[in-house]
Amino acid sequence: MSRAHSAPAPEPPAPEPSAPEQPARGRPRSEAVERAIVEGVIKLLDDGVPLAELSIERIARTAGVGKATIYRRWPGKEELFVDVIRQAEPPDPELPGTSMRDDLVALLEQLRQRALLARSSTLLHNVFAQMKSSPKVWKAYHGTVVEPRRRITREVLRRGQADGELRADLDIDLLDDCFIGPMLLRTVMRLDADLPEGLSETIVDTLLAGLRPVSSPGA
């Protein structure tokens, strides 16, 4: 008796053509929008609006955006204001890394350039004056701008001690003040003092003359 042939298994259905890939949902940060917001703040400050009167609503209206657009990028006007200041400043310097002396000169030169910029910009000068009158803004600026730069300087000084370029018994925090202090003094308190080219090298070399390790007699 012949075996009955079983019916061939049905072929699986052809897969449906996949739908075109959809763009990821969300609200990507737009550089154009952020630039409009920052320029809105600058315009208000340039028009003489005090920091205390810079509300998010007023900034949004000037920038042509909604308040929610600003809050998605900054928690409040203080953080936005600090961001505006950061963008108005020279970029952090690229350290040569050839020696402690060269790195310190680069750090001080950045401060000198920043001071020259503040003197030539009425807007930036007024912004710093207003910022210092607001403890919350000053604290935010110190935490996001000042302290990171101080950490860089302290790290350069520690490397100098480790490499024998600096006496090992010196306090790093005090040294930080010693190197940065003269430039800040001319920036903040002595606005009539010159900031000539070569000042950074002069400050660093003058201090290092007394801070380098002294070789023992006959060494």
Side-chain angles (χ1 to χ4, degrees):
M1 187 173 179
S2 64
R3 177 179 294 178
H5 295 287
S6 59
E11 294 184 3
E16 296 182 4
S18 58
E21 188 176 347
Q22 297 296 320
R25 291 184 178 275
R27 303 176 186 271
R29 294 172 67 91
S30 164
E31 291 184 6
V33 170
E34 291 186 9
R35 171 46 52 186
I37 295 169
V38 169
E39 288 178 352
V41 175
I42 292 175
K43 181 182 185 306
L44 289 169
L45 292 169
D46 207 16
D47 290 343
V49 179
L51 176 59
E53 297 178 17
L54 275 182
S55 66
I56 291 294
E57 183 176 3
R58 191 168 187 177
I59 294 169
R61 188 166 59 248
T62 303
V65 301
K67 290 193 297 182
T69 301
I70 297 178
Y71 281 121
R72 278 196 297 270
R73 291 159 171 81
W74 294 277
K77 73 172 186 178
E78 290 82 9
E79 291 80 7
L80 169 56
F81 190 72
V82 170
D83 241 13
V84 171
I85 296 299
R86 276 196 67 90
Q87 294 187 37
E89 292 187 342
D92 290 341
E94 202 168 308
L95 302 183
T98 49
S99 68
M100 178 192 68
R101 185 260 183 195
D102 293 344
D103 286 351
L104 288 172
V105 167
L107 289 167
L108 284 187
E109 183 60 18
Q110 192 267 357
L111 280 179
R112 190 182 75 88
Q113 294 292 339
R114 175 179 174 271
L116 288 172
L117 180 62
R119 288 186 182 185
S120 64
S121 169
T122 303
L123 170 64
L124 194 56
H125 181 75
N126 291 337
V127 163
F128 277 113
Q130 292 190 50
M131 182 174 63
K132 291 173 184 176
S133 68
S134 173
K136 186 174 181 180
V137 173
W138 177 247
K139 182 178 179 181
Y141 179 77
H142 192 275
T144 60
V145 179
V146 177
E147 183 54 33
R149 288 175 177 169
R150 283 179 58 86
R151 283 198 296 268
I152 293 173
T153 307
R154 291 195 294 263
E155 180 58 31
V156 168
L157 293 168
R158 289 191 186 95
R159 289 202 307 267
Q161 284 184 327
D163 294 341
E165 298 178 83
L166 199 62
R167 282 167 41 197
D169 62 325
L170 298 171
D171 180 82
I172 292 295
D173 285 334
L174 178 59
L175 288 179
D176 186 5
D177 294 339
C178 288
F179 280 100
I180 303 300
M183 196 70 80
L184 286 182
L185 179 66
R186 290 185 173 225
T187 301
V188 178
M189 300 183 66
R190 293 192 57 204
L191 299 181
D192 60 324
D194 291 335
L195 294 166
E197 289 189 23
L199 178 59
S200 302
E201 289 87 347
T202 299
I203 292 173
V204 171
D205 291 338
T206 299
L207 288 168
L208 286 181
L211 297 174
R212 284 195 179 97
V214 178
S215 300
S216 302

